[in-house]
Amino acid sequence: MVQLLPALVALALLLVRPVADAAMAKYTFTVGSMQISQLCSSTSIIAVNGQLPGPSIEVNEGDDVVVKVVNNSPYNVTIHWHGVLQLMTPWADGPSMVTQCPIQPSSSYTYRFSVPGQEGTLWWHAHSSFLRATVYGAFIIRPRRGNAYPFPAPDKEVPIVLGEWWNRNVVDVESDAILAGQLPAQSDAFTVNGKTGLLYQCANETFTAVVEPSTRVLLRVVNAGLNSHLFFKLAGHNFTVVAVDAGYTSNLNTDTLVLAPGQTVDALVTTAAAPGSYYMAVLAHDTMSPLAFAASDTTTATAILQYNGTSSTNPPAMPAMPSSSDSGTANAFYFGLRGLGAPAVPAPVDVSMTIELGLGQLPCDPSQTRCNGTAAAAAMNGVSFRLPSPETSLLGAHVDGVAGVFTADFPDGPPPSGTAMSVGTKLKKLSYNSVVEIVLQNPAAVPTENHPIHLHGFNFFVLAQGMGTFAPGSVAYNLVDPVARNTIAVPGGGWAVIRFVANNPGMWFFHCHLDPHVPMGLGMVFQVDSGTTPGSTLPTPPGDWVGVCDAQHYAAAAAVAAAPVPVPAPAPVPAPILAPAPAESPLPPPRAVDHKPSPNLPQRREHTGTSNSAAGRRAKGHLACFLCSVLLFFLLRQHKA
């Protein structure tokens, strides 16, 4: 019996370790009104937990995340976890009327998902109306405990969340624009971690990061702005870009970061300058062509990087900013990014599409009571996308089999030149595990601008980018080290080629991340079918999810959310009996198993015989507890002997 003890100890420790590697991060987000003073006035905004930005979510790769969102605001709201893949949990993705019905005032909903195979900086934001102007925050995923970054470890990490600020209620700003059929009023300022900096009138607060000399600082930069592409610089210092959109990159050395709305950049800074204070500066990058159409916020927001032990009385050094129309600097940054290592690009291509991005006009809708004849509109392949009626979300219609909500006839290519723009809720169906290649073409028609296109539920490889009209067969694809992203800035009068594996069943929004362009119609939805194996089939949605937006479904979901979680009786084990594990909240099922190289998951494969899913970890935990009980029983017997 004594001879069995070393083996039992080793096995128990081996099984306990995966349980300890992953954790569950629980948060409560209370959405409500708060008063904030900015730019010489006091403004009521909607925010989370009384903070601007809202609280950062900080987890490790593989962790489970549970966020209860309590809506104490007067508006419907949802939260989107921008860049989180939501493998087999599409109901947690968040876009209103795409994957869920909105969380109504005085109601709540709990998002449950996990983050396997993702590391880096993402973010979260409201995905219902202009509320994301103030309802947003960072989402940071660090390597699993015991794993290291693939770059020199930083001595300090600083989240830098860039935003836009209006001196008005942002819901009214959007409503006025939609009723008039026009673009919304420009923002009044930019912000860094919710503060404008000292270059604005009545400014009295500046975000300041205090750092030690001769250290490495990792800046986690997020463009949470609604309408503006941004340049970001730090006086007296250069950046080494090590990741974008939570995907590691080869080192890119630059003095200017460029971020389209929705994008993130992780950049190392070495604090080797003369001790002192240095401005971090934010300026809009105007992408509208011709510039006569541009009406961007021309102000500059600032924050301060201050060396510890130095005086803050002297004015900080200011970086020389690019001109707002400097497309050369922007394209050099975007086109110069490369993925880390040599990822296996998925092939062969099963679905090939060309999606043309267009701006135009449509006759005013009867609801646009201030519209004068025609309204600003946008389209993909000539179809101006409309969300479904407020009765049923797209995923709800799919799960519950509700007919007439959408059609699955989104075109694979643009219509003939001169075709009038149409309106519809058109989807593109994709078979599970199919390889999809899309040419995104941004025409040079007047006016044109850079469109940041965001894909929910997937990362994609950027195989090629360029200016002019894409010419098949004449472009060399980067199949060696392409960068992986979830949001790509398609240049005005240019194009980009992306490729991904459709290995995540659900309804996935594909849209421009310039917020005014979404209600104008610049979007579509991919419907990815389930596979044929248990791990590739979409499971039953949680009981508190609302996909059909009527009173009956809301009431049923509320009853499920309010019901206590049953505590299972402990299984009998040899004496002494250990206390049963505490009840757990429902967790996502195991993710689908990849069969093709994909930017959605790390290139190091997981064994199909072992699982890092929540269910797999619980099974290992139960077995480990049983073996520990047996081990304790043997030790007690031996001690008694």
Side-chain angles (χ1 to χ4, degrees), residues 207-438:
F207 172 76
T208 300
V210 178
V211 299
E212 298 296 331
S214 303
T215 58
R216 279 187 298 268
V217 179
L218 179 64
L219 300 183
R220 297 180 176 274
V221 189
V222 178
N223 183 354
L226 267 67
N227 301 336
S228 297
H229 304 256
L230 297 174
F231 290 122
F232 180 84
K233 294 192 71 172
L234 171 58
H237 299 74
N238 289 331
F239 304 106
T240 299
V241 176
V242 293
V244 295
D245 292 359
Y248 292 125
T249 64
S250 295
N251 290 353
L252 175 66
N253 297 313
T254 179
D255 66 352
T256 306
L257 304 183
V258 189
L259 297 95
Q263 292 183 333
T264 71
V265 174
D266 290 356
L268 287 173
V269 172
T270 301
T271 56
S277 297
Y278 299 87
Y279 269 138
M280 296 179 272
V282 181
L283 177 71
H285 170 217
D286 272 330
T287 68
M288 184 75 76
S289 179
L291 286 177
F293 287 90
S296 292
D297 185 337
T298 59
T299 62
T300 301
T302 54
I304 296 174
L305 186 83
Q306 181 180 329
Y307 282 48
N308 192 20
T310 60
S311 172
S312 59
T313 56
N314 295 327
M318 185 72 182
M321 301 301 289
S323 70
S324 61
S325 59
D326 189 351
S327 59
T329 293
N331 289 343
F333 180 84
Y334 290 136
F335 296 1
L337 293 168
R338 295 289 182 270
L340 183 64
V345 177
V349 173
D350 303 305
V351 178
S352 182
M353 304 175 68
T354 296
I355 296 182
E356 186 177 85
L357 315 174
L359 300 176
Q361 292 184 323
L362 283 170
C364 297
D365 187 85
S367 64
Q368 294 177 298
T369 54
R370 304 175 197 166
C371 185
N372 186 18
T374 57
M380 288 186 173
N381 282 351
V383 180
S384 187
F385 181 79
R386 295 294 181 269
L387 290 169
S389 65
E391 285 78 31
T392 308
S393 69
L394 295 178
L395 186 60
H398 172 62
V399 170
D400 288 9
V402 181
V405 176
F406 60 84
T407 58
D409 57 347
F410 182 83
D412 286 343
S417 179
T419 303
M421 190 182 292
S422 64
V423 173
T425 308
K426 296 179 181 290
L427 279 59
K428 172 67 177 179
K429 289 190 69 173
L430 299 173
S431 298
Y432 177 78
N433 224 36
S434 57
V435 176
V436 184
E437 183 174 294
I438 303 173

Side-chain angles (χ1 to χ4, degrees), residues 17 22 46 56 97 101 104 135 189 194 302 331 347 355 359 363 374 402 487 504 515 532 563-564 593 623:
R17 182 181 175 185
I46 304 300
S56 293
M97 301 311 299
C101 301
Q104 297 176 321
V135 178
T302 54
N331 289 343
I355 296 182
L359 300 176
T374 57
V402 181
T487 305
N504 194 10
D515 253 42
T532 58
V593 176
L623 181 55

